[in-house]
Amino acid sequence: MSNQTTQSTSFNRSDLNKNALKVTQRLSEGGFTAYLVGGCVRDLLLGRQPKDFDVATNATPQQVNRLFRNSRIIGRRFQIVHVRFGREIIEVSTFRAQHDQKQSSEAGHVLNDNVFGSFEDDAVRRDFTINALYYCPTKDQVLDPTSLGLDDLQKKRLVLIGDPETRFREDPVRMLRAIRFKAKLDFSISQKLERTIQENASLMAEIPPARLFEEVLKLLMAGAAKKTYQALKHYQLIETLFPKVADAGINQNLIERALESTDRRIANGQPVTPAFLFAALLWDPVAQLHTKLTNIDGLSRADGWAAAGDQIVAQQQSTLSIPRRFSGPAKDIWCLQDRFEARQGKRPFRLLAHKRFRAAYDFLLLRRDSGEPLEALCDWWTEFQTADEVEQKSMIQATRPNRKRKPRRKSNTD
Ligand code: ATP
Ligand code: MG
């Protein structure tokens, strides 16, 4: 790999993160080599705003740690250093060599990735050629040790470094990363790579559920959730991530609308919560179980929602675990759906004051938009929120069932 390509940057130095530059500068002053690497270089060259800035260096984690008071070493299998600047973290990793066979499990997984190596070694253990580009701040140059990255970037090609099957076996998450970058950057992937993903989709089952959650969150929160979801279905990966969602008879329309609205909100700079997306992904399985629990097992409607939510979330945890901070709000969204129907007395006011009202109301609209007959109910709640108190009371009055009043019996004491 002696024919590394270098190129003067085609991005503005002012686009570079100041803290990342502080890190590379201090490392160079300490006598080490330090580059910006990976997604940030790729995104800057594409004229996109990088999500985070990573640094690669020949300093060991301990050496990096000694240089920065505001740093700590994290990880075991793959030690990296987090250098903290207020709320921002710059990740510094040491050049690593490709693992050897002794350090991989029988299935081919990398177990120990702390074998440090040269800059060239570091490039080939990365996933895609476009993610193996390095920026040297002191020389203001981009280095391309695989000699393919810059060309692939220009031709909008997502190319895995090395033999796809081996690389997926080492780390099946690379399949999800392929889908993420393809959708996010609108790059092409070769038919061979596509086929290898389809043939190896089942490897995903070996990934710990918590890591899968992190990866899937990145997949769905990158602004191309709908495209990504369709790709996951195409590559038969959805079965291993959300087994319930892959069942026939699941309302895909509701899921796709939720993904579309997530993409729209991200494009408009509005906040999005993964809880809403998980609520949408698992809505049909929860609703189906609710019907069973109430009709056959005799649970009350409210108990049915609580039990159905708990059971479906519990089943989901075995493949991809949703942390409580997201599964809790998702369960609230499901449980609140019935309460939109109850519009007597103080109930609408209590629901309106619920901390999860907004998300639950948006979810009700989503159900309507995906074909449930909820027009009148949605209109009522849309109006109720902006009405004044007098109007609200008369709206509640108008929802009262038309019961014939019994004539009042005269009291004997009259
Ligand atoms: P993003 O825009 O999502 O941050 P990224 O490419 O920077 O994209 P990160 O997860 O931040 O992705 O990883 C930083 C870099 O580390 C990647 O560009 C790649 O070089 C390398 N990398 C990350 N995950 C893997 C993996 N599973 N296998 C090999 N290399 C990886
Ligand atoms: Mg990154």
Side-chain angles (χ1 to χ4, degrees):
M1 227 183 297
S2 52
N3 60 334
Q4 305 178 356
T5 319
T6 56
Q7 169 179 305
S8 284
T9 52
S10 57
F11 53 80
N12 242 330
R13 257 184 98 90
S14 60
D15 291 338
L16 293 172
N17 181 293
K18 303 279 169 298
N19 293 329
L21 288 181
K22 274 187 212 161
V23 173
T24 54
Q25 194 178 340
R26 185 159 328 157
L27 282 163
S28 325
E29 286 164 5
F32 300 106
T33 310
Y35 303 127
L36 297 183
V37 65
C40 64
V41 181
R42 175 198 72 213
D43 288 348
L44 284 168
L45 289 170
L46 289 171
R48 302 171 69 103
Q49 175 71 35
K51 214 175 67 192
D52 40 37
F53 284 79
D54 297 321
V55 170
T57 179
N58 62 351
T60 64
Q62 288 69 22
Q63 288 170 325
V64 177
N65 186 225
R66 275 199 292 276
L67 274 181
F68 296 93
R69 236 178 358 107
N70 49 333
S71 73
R72 75 194 176 103
I73 299 175
I74 61 156
R76 266 193 325 158
R77 198 198 84 178
F78 194 111
Q79 278 190 340
I80 54 170
V81 183
H82 276 177
V83 186
R84 185 179 276 282
F85 297 88
R87 295 186 64 181
E88 186 172 34
I89 288 175
I90 304 295
E91 226 173 75
V92 184
S93 55
T94 304
F95 295 151
R96 279 173 169 78
Q98 188 73 302
H99 68 102
D100 62 34
Q101 286 310 310
K102 273 184 249 111
Q103 276 145 343
S104 43
S105 69
E106 260 173 41
H109 291 258
V110 182
L111 295 178
N112 182 347
D113 216 351
N114 282 323
V115 181
F116 303 127
S118 69
F119 159 60
E120 287 81 4
D121 292 334
D122 189 74
V124 287
R125 61 107 194 147
R126 290 181 180 270
D127 48 6
F128 301 98
T129 57
I130 58 163
N131 285 347
L133 294 169
Y134 298 71
Y135 172 72
C136 172
T138 44
K139 296 198 181 120
D140 190 26
Q141 263 178 348
V142 174
L143 292 105
D144 180 10
T146 70
S147 306
L148 298 168
L150 287 169
D151 194 36
D152 288 337
L153 197 72
Q154 206 225 334
K155 299 204 170 103
K156 292 170 122 300
R157 284 189 307 225
L158 190 63
V159 178
L160 196 70
I161 299 171
D163 168 55
E165 188 156 351
T166 316
R167 300 301 313 277
F168 288 150
R169 230 165 243 296
E170 276 171 11
D171 183 5
V173 160
R174 289 173 187 149
M175 291 190 269
L176 294 182
R177 290 176 59 87
I179 288 164
R180 176 153 73 90
F181 294 128
K182 179 181 189 292
K184 174 172 146 175
L185 307 173
D186 209 15
F187 272 35
S188 64
I189 63 176
S190 70
Q191 282 184 347
K192 179 171 180 240
L193 193 59
E194 286 213 348
R195 248 196 336 272
T196 317
I197 295 177
Q198 277 163 335
E199 286 163 6
N200 290 280
S202 62
L203 291 177
M204 207 61 68
E206 298 162 14
I207 304 293
R211 181 166 181 222
L212 266 194
F213 171 80
E214 291 300 327
E215 289 302 324
V216 166
L217 204 59
K218 285 191 209 157
L219 274 170
L220 298 180
M221 295 287 155
K226 186 169 172 205
K227 249 201 299 184
T228 308
Y229 180 74
Q230 282 164 343
L232 289 174
K233 285 205 289 191
H234 176 70
Y235 295 116
Q236 287 127 42
L237 287 167
I238 209 77
E239 287 85 337
T240 45
L241 301 173
F242 298 99
K244 288 274 168 208
V245 178
D247 283 356
I250 292 297
N251 184 354
Q252 295 292 330
N253 189 5
L254 180 130
I255 294 175
E256 292 194 359
R257 276 172 190 273
L259 297 166
E260 262 167 23
S261 98
T262 302
D263 290 343
R264 220 175 16 248
R265 290 180 69 93
I266 291 174
N268 295 335
Q270 293 168 283
V272 285
T273 165
F276 190 83
L277 262 190
F278 290 119
L281 278 164
L282 298 174
W283 167 247
D284 252 17
V286 170
Q288 285 170 11
L289 182 58
H290 179 260
T291 306
K292 179 187 164 285
L293 292 174
T294 49
N295 289 358
I296 301 171
D297 302 350
L299 258 62
S300 72
R301 289 194 62 84
D303 288 349
W305 284 119
D310 284 347
Q311 278 186 42
I312 296 293
V313 167
Q315 286 169 19
Q316 178 59 52
Q317 308 298 352
S318 62
T319 52
L320 176 154
S321 62
I322 304 171
R324 230 173 259 170
R325 66 180 189 282
F326 299 128
S327 63
K331 287 178 189 173
D332 285 345
I333 291 173
W334 296 326
C335 287
L336 289 179
Q337 295 305 302
D338 257 6
R339 287 179 50 188
F340 285 105
E341 306 273 353
R343 285 171 289 165
Q344 272 86 56
K346 296 253 179 292
R347 289 178 184 180
F349 294 105
R350 278 207 294 271
L351 184 52
L352 203 55
H354 193 287
K355 65 172 186 239
R356 223 70 81 186
F357 171 81
R358 185 71 217 186
Y361 163 75
D362 285 343
F363 200 80
L364 187 75
L365 300 187
L366 177 70
R367 289 170 58 204
R368 174 201 65 190
D369 294 343
S370 68
E372 288 190 55
L374 295 166
E375 291 287 344
L377 192 63
C378 287
D379 290 349
W380 193 93
W381 277 100
T382 305
E383 202 183 324
F384 188 75
Q385 288 172 69
T386 51
D388 64 30
E389 221 181 304
V390 180
E391 288 165 342
Q392 283 178 327
K393 285 196 172 134
S394 78
M395 285 180 76
I396 293 174
Q397 203 70 28
T399 63
R400 287 186 125 190
N402 258 346
R403 268 192 248 118
K404 276 214 180 107
R405 288 226 180 125
K406 285 189 193 151
R408 270 227 218 133
R409 228 190 288 146
K410 273 207 161 215
S411 152
N412 291 341
T413 52
D414 273 357

